[in-house]
Amino acid sequence: MTRVVLVTGDATAIPAVAAATALHAAGRGLRTLLLAADDPHRQLDDQLGLRLTGKAERAAEALWAVRLDPQEAFRHAVAALDGKLRTGFDLLGVEPLDGDELTALPGTGQLALLRALRLPEGVYDLLVVAAPPPAELTAALALPEQLDRYLARLVPEQRQAARALRPLLAAVAGVPMPADWVYSARSWAAAELAATRAVIESPATSVRLAVEAGACAPAALRRAAAGLALFGHRLDAVAAHRALPAAAADSADPWLAEQAAAERARLAAIDLGVPLLVADRSAADAAAVAAQLYADRPGAGPEPGERWPWRAEDRRVEDGVLIWRLAAPGAERADLDLVRRGDELVVALGPYRRILPLPGALRRCTVAGAALRDGELTLRFAPDPGLWPSGS
């Protein structure tokens, strides 16, 4: 399976860290594709000395680079849908739009990014993505799960059991019933979402935070990491770009030494339990940045771990409750909001919000409390006597 590294963080640091990561991996013999998914100022072009287009081009030995084209991706998506929607167009009496009439809609960039993550099997060993900033990336990665949920609610798969009644309904109504094409489109959409989620949720996919060492905001980065963790995405490293050289800490210039100490304190305050990789200002190009970030590290740097799990624990004997745990590195108590809604739990961490179906046992419980300590959210559930089987 192709490994995917999504580089996000400070907009000014993302291109340099992404290019360095891709060059480092290619230098180790990994067939690497570098994707410019969010690089409006074409900084990656400058890093590679190559004008990137929507077609992958060789940038170095074992390294190819490509620029995401949302407009082309939108046209491709509409073309793929045309055959599935044509019956609906015919029923409505409208003509589909020609390709020349199509212009990308808001949100097209997110969909294009998700589609670009699904590489042909066996072509590349590694995909490095110069991704959007954390909030936009988190929203994009959450989209397949959200669409899957809407699809299940609006077009439940089990309703296809009424297939035998469609001719009767069509005769009574006097118009063609669109159920066949609706469910055909539903099956296609479900398969597309499943393929995208397989990449996003794979242990081979990880996120790397790129920060400008001299201007990083630890609190904002911790909130970003908490939002990613809420959706199960694990950081593999924090890469600090353009740090002051180590010698600055011992400089005879009091101002420079003070700046170096303040910078070290900011980087230490990020504290997300992952490796901190540092490249200082002496690194003049992507190759030099790679040499400093990934010194003595094989492959593309730190290896990704498993996705952050939700873990249920039965502690009825000891404490009379069941526990549900979520890893939430960087989360702060003031940002946490929980709402029980039927058989679902709505969890919000600052601007990030996820709706989670409760496991079967917890659906028969009431929420007894929550705690956020040491980067872990612990939810306590008390069995509801009216719903819990007697003697269990």
Side-chain angles (χ1 to χ4, degrees):
M1 177 179 290
T2 302
R3 184 181 169 193
V4 179
V5 176
L6 299 159
V7 181
T8 186
D10 295 339
T12 53
I14 291 171
V17 173
T21 300
L23 281 171
H24 172 74
R28 298 300 189 276
L30 297 177
R31 295 168 300 173
T32 304
L33 177 65
L34 175 59
L35 172 63
D38 188 74
D39 183 30
H41 303 298
R42 289 189 171 271
Q43 295 180 67
L44 276 175
D45 295 35
D46 297 336
Q47 295 279 345
L48 300 173
L50 177 70
R51 184 170 181 80
L52 303 184
T53 67
K55 181 180 179 181
E57 298 184 37
R58 185 184 288 269
E61 185 67 28
L63 175 62
W64 291 261
V66 64
R67 180 169 294 278
L68 189 66
D69 185 345
Q71 179 69 44
E72 182 60 31
F74 181 66
R75 290 179 179 174
H76 183 277
V78 172
L81 283 170
D82 182 59
K84 299 169 181 63
L85 297 180
R86 188 167 294 277
T87 303
F89 289 141
D90 292 343
L91 287 171
L92 296 172
V94 299
E95 289 291 328
L97 294 171
D98 293 331
D100 292 338
E101 297 179 86
L102 297 172
T103 55
L105 299 173
T108 299
Q110 292 183 341
L111 296 174
L113 170 60
L114 294 174
R115 184 170 184 83
L117 297 181
R118 293 165 50 187
L119 294 178
E121 195 63 40
V123 178
Y124 299 103
D125 302 308
L126 174 70
L127 171 63
V128 179
V129 183
E136 296 174 37
L137 177 62
T138 304
L141 296 179
L143 194 56
E145 179 180 283
Q146 293 169 344
L147 293 178
D148 233 350
R149 184 172 180 274
Y150 296 153
L151 198 61
R153 289 288 296 273
L154 298 176
V155 193
E157 193 170 11
Q158 59 269 28
R159 287 191 182 176
Q160 296 190 70
R163 183 184 299 273
L165 297 177
R166 291 176 194 163
L168 176 61
L169 293 173
V172 172
V175 296
M177 297 300 290
D180 284 327
W181 69 265
V182 167
Y183 283 106
S184 174
R186 185 215 186 281
S187 298
W188 173 82
E192 290 290 302
L193 290 171
T196 302
R197 290 186 68 175
V199 176
I200 293 173
E201 298 172 6
S202 167
T205 297
S206 61
V207 180
R208 194 161 300 173
L209 274 180
V211 303
E212 283 288 345
C216 69
L221 291 170
R222 290 198 301 271
R223 283 192 291 270
L228 289 162
L230 177 61
F231 290 92
H233 308 299
R234 184 187 289 269
L235 295 181
D236 61 18
V238 174
H241 179 235
R242 291 183 54 79
L244 289 169
D250 301 320
S251 173
D253 182 342
W255 181 87
L256 182 58
E258 182 181 349
Q259 293 301 307
E263 183 178 274
R264 285 202 310 273
R266 281 195 300 273
L267 293 176
I270 298 173
D271 189 24
L272 293 172
V274 296
L276 175 63
L277 315 175
V278 180
D280 66 38
R281 300 184 185 189
S282 67
D285 56 27
V289 173
Q292 291 192 20
L293 288 180
Y294 303 115
D296 302 322
R297 291 182 180 272
E303 290 296 318
E306 294 292 328
R307 283 169 55 81
W308 292 120
W310 286 85
R311 294 180 287 113
E313 183 181 346
D314 188 345
R315 296 189 59 83
R316 285 176 295 161
V317 175
E318 299 89 341
D319 305 316
V321 296
L322 291 89
I323 301 294
W324 209 19
R325 302 181 188 276
L326 164 68
E332 297 181 4
R333 188 181 185 86
D335 292 332
L336 176 63
D337 189 24
L338 299 169
V339 177
R340 169 78 179 270
R341 203 187 70 144
D343 290 340
E344 296 176 325
L345 186 69
V346 182
V347 184
L349 285 173
Y352 306 100
R353 183 173 180 269
R354 188 181 185 188
I355 301 175
L356 289 159
L358 291 170
L362 299 186
R363 294 179 184 183
R364 293 178 279 116
C365 298
T366 58
V367 179
L372 180 61
R373 297 190 186 92
D374 300 325
E376 183 176 75
L377 172 61
T378 303
L379 307 174
R380 299 188 302 280
F381 291 80
D384 185 336
L387 299 175
W388 205 263
S390 60
S392 63

